[in-house]
Amino acid sequence: MASMLEYIKIILQKVSFDRKLFEKELRKAIRMLMPAEIKRLRQWCYDHYATVHLPVLNICFERLSSLN
C-alpha cells in the first residue's frame, strides 16, 4: 500500500498544470502530513516544480517554517 506522501505526490503531479489547484492541494497536503514527511515533500516539490511553481512553493513552505 502506498504511503500518504506518495499519494500526495501523485495528486500534485496531476494538478500541476493549474497553479491554483496545485497550491490548494499543496496546502491540504501540508496540513495532513507529519513534519518528517513535509520535509521530504518540500524537497520533492522544489526538485520537480521550482521552475513552474516557485512562488507557490515559497509561499506555502515559508509559512510553515515561520510556525516553527
Side-chain angles (χ1 to χ4, degrees), residues 3-67:
S3 70
M4 183 57 75
L5 178 58
E6 294 306 314
Y7 176 73
I8 287 166
K9 289 178 183 179
I10 292 168
I11 298 299
L12 291 173
Q13 289 171 340
K14 290 183 182 217
V15 300
S16 64
F17 68 93
D18 182 282
R19 185 198 64 80
K20 287 187 179 197
L21 273 175
F22 185 84
E23 183 175 358
K24 176 185 172 188
E25 292 300 328
L26 181 56
R27 289 179 188 276
K28 190 172 12 173
I30 290 170
R31 287 193 309 265
M32 292 171 46
L33 295 174
M34 301 299 289
E37 293 172 313
I38 294 171
K39 187 175 181 179
R40 292 185 5 227
L41 177 65
R42 181 183 191 277
Q43 185 61 53
W44 180 85
C45 284
Y46 277 99
D47 289 347
H48 289 85
Y49 296 106
T51 57
V52 181
H53 295 302
L54 185 60
V56 171
L57 298 176
N58 288 341
I59 289 169
C60 289
F61 289 111
E62 177 183 299
R63 288 183 184 157
L64 187 65
S65 63
S66 69
L67 296 176

